[in-house]
Amino acid sequence: MVTPSGREIIQARVWREQEWCFSLRSQHLTIRMIRRRTILPPDLGGLGYDLSEHAIKGLIRGYLERMREVDEESLEEHRSRELADLDMVQRLALESMARYQRAGHYDEKATDRFMKAGEMRRKLLGLDAVVTSHIDVTVTDATDAAIADLAAELDRVDNGS
């Protein structure tokens, strides 16, 4: 069995502290609130010892730097996650609408949630975007000659020639 070195033990502890601090920060807790939780015993969600607010900020920055490549999401990953959330909202709304319908009632709130989620889906996917067309016209000497011939023909027709 390999015994970890002191450095490896310290690194593991720092990584655990980073993840713990970042997790609480991701739940929108302030640095001060996180500090108050550090002293709680681990079985109550704390670390069991105190950390300064500066240490907590440093741990969060360290986590972000260490995990930058892992945590970065592409536009497609963001879109996929948002679509999954919208699927869940629509699924729950449909279930609520079905329960109300079985009881002989209409669930207006669930219908509204379902419709809003659909609207958000269309925006996310660009399905309701305004369609525009752009036409590039290239004029050459040959085009000018063809237009001149066409104009001459129209003049002859208009003049009855």
Side-chain angles (χ1 to χ4, degrees):
M1 180 170 166
V2 177
T3 305
S5 69
R7 180 184 174 133
E8 291 170 331
I9 292 170
I10 291 171
Q11 184 180 43
R13 180 179 172 178
V14 169
W15 285 0
R16 183 176 61 87
E17 290 172 352
Q18 286 177 340
E19 290 170 6
W20 184 85
C21 290
F22 182 78
S23 171
L24 293 177
R25 189 68 170 144
S26 296
Q27 295 171 38
H28 303 285
L29 272 69
T30 65
I31 300 299
R32 187 160 286 148
M33 293 166 81
I34 295 170
R35 181 171 189 205
R36 281 189 231 129
R37 288 199 182 185
T38 61
I39 200 70
L40 294 174
D43 58 330
L44 294 178
L47 294 173
Y49 50 89
D50 193 18
L51 291 173
S52 72
E53 292 175 8
H54 290 287
I56 291 168
K57 286 183 103 170
L59 288 165
I60 292 169
R61 276 194 306 272
Y63 176 86
L64 290 170
E65 187 59 38
R66 180 170 58 93
M67 300 301 288
R68 183 176 318 280
E69 287 182 24
V70 174
D71 286 343
E72 283 180 355
E73 288 186 337
S74 68
L75 180 59
E76 281 305 310
E77 288 169 322
H78 280 295
R79 185 177 286 125
S80 175
R81 195 164 25 96
E82 291 294 326
L83 288 171
D85 291 345
L86 291 171
D87 285 343
M88 181 184 64
V89 168
Q90 286 191 308
R91 200 170 33 254
L92 292 172
L94 284 172
E95 289 171 8
S96 181
M97 289 164 40
R99 276 193 309 276
Y100 269 71
Q101 188 176 22
R102 284 191 297 274
H105 301 289
Y106 173 70
D107 187 351
E108 187 174 341
K109 288 182 181 180
T111 303
D112 188 48
R113 281 192 305 269
F114 182 84
M115 297 304 288
K116 284 182 180 176
E119 181 181 331
M120 292 171 77
R121 176 186 308 283
R122 288 187 298 279
K123 284 182 182 178
L124 182 64
L125 295 173
L127 300 175
D128 62 350
V130 175
V131 178
T132 59
S133 297
H134 297 280
I135 299 173
D136 291 328
V137 178
T138 304
V139 177
T140 63
D141 291 337
T143 306
D144 288 341
I147 291 174
D149 289 344
L150 182 59
E153 284 293 320
L154 289 173
D155 282 343
R156 272 183 262 149
V157 169
D158 286 343
N159 293 330
S161 307

